[in-house]
Amino acid sequence: AEPVFPDRPIRVAITGAAGQIGYALLPLICTGRMFGMSQKVSLHLLEITPALTALSGVVMELEDCAFPILDSILATDDPAECFKDVDVAMLVGSFPRKAGMERKELLSKNGAIFHGQGEILEAVASKDVKIVIVGNPANTNALILSYFAKGIPVQNISALTRLDHNRTVGLVAKKLGTSVANVEGVVIWGNHSSTQYPDVSNAKVKGFSQSIVEAMGGVEYLEEAMIPHIQGRGASIIAARKLSSAMSAANAACDHVRDWLLGSNGRIVSMAVHSSGEYDIPKGIWYSFPVQCSRGGKFTIVQGLNVSDFSRARMDATAKELTEEREAALSLYQ
Ligand code: NAD
Ligand code: LMR
């Protein structure tokens, strides 16, 4: 890939850098999976004060990897220092849920983090900073951040649903006995939560001329197996690992930023972005839509996809949850 900034390192902030996802994400960035091997990277790593010692160990390991594209590392517990002039901010640092919890139960604990970090990003980051929120509840944390950082264009603030997207691609390929590379056009609609709607009705799979819904086993299979599988995948991983997903989350965050900055090459990917009322979704919430990204950090929401009654009901249910989360979030501040 051509570098985004040929003449200087790209400055990337990662919060919660000593956490699980941080530990899995850093090597992806430093081995060129995010911006290619010709883009130098400057890492700005943020942790809370009690985790600074752990972070210093991560920094030692980064140094010991001798990554050719890693230009410099800043490690700090001061968000203003961390976010100074950053081009990309990956906001991971926050509390993960435990078994038996819904992600929105993290709102009261994590929301405040994104309030504070939004104000600081607005004040000190690059004017064109691209922000991805990974910390849960990711969509509503994006809304909170934007509420407190009105100077940052809403198009520059996104939340991660690429993990759900990749999970769906993986499941379709497995079910149809084909390669993930042959699967195109799956969509995650709505919230990164158990109401999300993974949609294969517009998907195309190389080698399959019939409808993918039929090939997968019909509407019954979607309702009884595929949709609950994807909606509950995060919880299944927590039940099995006793920790939330980290390798796959870091991989998805890397895919999200790479496609956003370098372009998705015509492919449809899912990103939770500000709704301006596309597909009759309420305005002002961060809702996962099908998007296509073009080089330089621009995306467009793919319009005109077929929406069946089956899809509509599910798209509206997850929008309703996000509207309720918005009310709960804003009531904390009013
Ligand atoms: P973790 O507990 O292993 O790491 C989080 C790190 O963030 C910790 O090291 C902690 O010290 C740090 N931290 C906490 N508050 C901070 C703050 N204010 N500033 C900077 N750092 C701070 O958790 P994890 O497994 O890495 O998960 C992180 C978050 O990502 C959780 O909220 C989790 O639910 C979420 N997550 C989201 C997705 C997604 O697809 N959107 C996927 C997986 C996990
Ligand atoms: C996931 O989808 O794996 C993450 O959001 C972690 C979780 O709490 O499910």
Side-chain angles (χ1 to χ4, degrees):
E2 288 295 307
V4 187
F5 298 111
D7 304 328
R8 66 163 176 90
I10 187 167
R11 291 182 281 269
V12 184
I14 295 139
T15 70
Q20 292 201 81
I21 295 175
Y23 195 75
L25 180 60
L26 290 166
L28 296 178
I29 300 174
C30 297
T31 53
R33 270 282 315 282
M34 195 175 277
F35 303 115
M37 285 305 287
S38 50
Q39 175 65 63
K40 289 265 195 301
V41 179
S42 178
L43 293 175
H44 292 219
L45 309 180
L46 184 70
E47 261 298 347
I48 50 172
T49 312
L52 279 181
T53 308
L55 184 60
S56 73
V58 174
V59 172
M60 288 181 223
E61 287 203 72
L62 285 167
E63 290 169 355
D64 296 350
C65 289
F67 291 120
I69 64 170
L70 180 53
D71 185 79
S72 62
I73 309 168
L74 168 77
T76 178
D77 60 356
D78 176 1
E81 190 187 3
C82 174
F83 293 150
K84 179 98 185 87
D85 296 332
V86 293
D87 304 297
V88 175
M90 306 187 71
L91 305 186
V92 180
S94 54
F95 297 93
R97 65 173 166 157
K98 304 250 163 56
M101 289 170 74
E102 287 293 337
R103 297 180 187 92
K104 63 186 163 197
E105 291 172 49
L106 295 167
L107 189 60
S108 52
K109 221 170 168 181
N110 286 344
I113 296 174
F114 297 89
H115 165 190
Q117 292 185 353
E119 290 178 342
I120 297 169
L121 279 161
E122 180 180 25
V124 305
S126 153
K127 287 293 158 236
D128 196 34
V129 62
K130 301 288 186 293
I131 300 168
V132 55
I133 284 125
V134 177
N136 281 317
N139 301 53
T140 298
N141 288 336
L143 179 143
I144 294 172
L145 186 141
S146 179
Y147 186 80
F148 289 103
K150 296 228 162 60
I152 300 177
V154 287
Q155 298 85 343
N156 286 14
I157 301 169
S158 64
L160 188 73
T161 52
R162 183 63 175 267
L163 176 54
D164 311 289
H165 180 102
N166 288 350
R167 284 168 173 162
T168 308
V169 170
L171 181 66
V172 170
K174 187 172 169 192
K175 176 81 179 163
L176 300 183
T178 188
S179 154
V180 289
N182 293 334
V183 180
E184 166 61 26
V186 312
V187 181
I188 303 299
W189 300 97
N191 200 0
H192 175 63
S193 78
S194 53
T195 65
Q196 69 178 271
Y197 172 43
D199 175 17
V200 296
S201 65
N202 290 287
K204 296 196 168 39
V205 181
K206 216 190 217 161
F208 289 79
S209 50
Q210 78 267 49
S211 119
I212 294 312
V213 173
E214 290 316 311
M216 297 272 294
V219 170
E220 216 167 81
Y221 171 80
L222 302 188
E223 250 185 322
E224 283 164 23
M226 188 195 88
I227 296 173
H229 172 99
I230 302 295
Q231 290 174 333
R233 187 64 154 186
S236 305
I237 291 167
I238 292 170
R241 261 175 38 91
K242 314 285 178 246
L243 286 170
S244 59
S245 66
M247 175 183 26
S248 55
N251 178 66
C254 178
D255 286 350
H256 176 112
V257 172
R258 186 197 58 227
D259 286 348
W260 194 5
L261 271 84
L262 300 183
S264 66
N265 295 322
R267 280 176 312 121
I268 292 179
V269 293
S270 302
M271 285 170 64
V273 296
H274 176 264
S275 164
S276 306
E278 294 83 358
Y279 291 94
D280 291 327
I281 297 304
K283 291 181 184 157
I285 54 174
W286 263 254
Y287 189 92
S288 180
F289 283 110
V291 304
Q292 283 168 324
C293 307
S294 54
R295 212 186 136 75
K298 301 267 177 289
F299 66 84
T300 50
I301 294 176
V302 178
Q303 304 279 0
L305 291 181
N306 179 49
V307 176
S308 64
D309 291 346
F310 180 90
S311 292
R312 188 75 245 173
R314 286 162 181 78
M315 287 160 65
D316 289 343
T318 188
K320 180 167 176 284
E321 182 185 45
L322 280 168
T323 308
E324 288 162 5
E325 281 186 28
R326 171 174 59 188
E327 297 319 312
L330 297 184
S331 73
L332 296 174
Y333 303 106
Q334 277 152 7

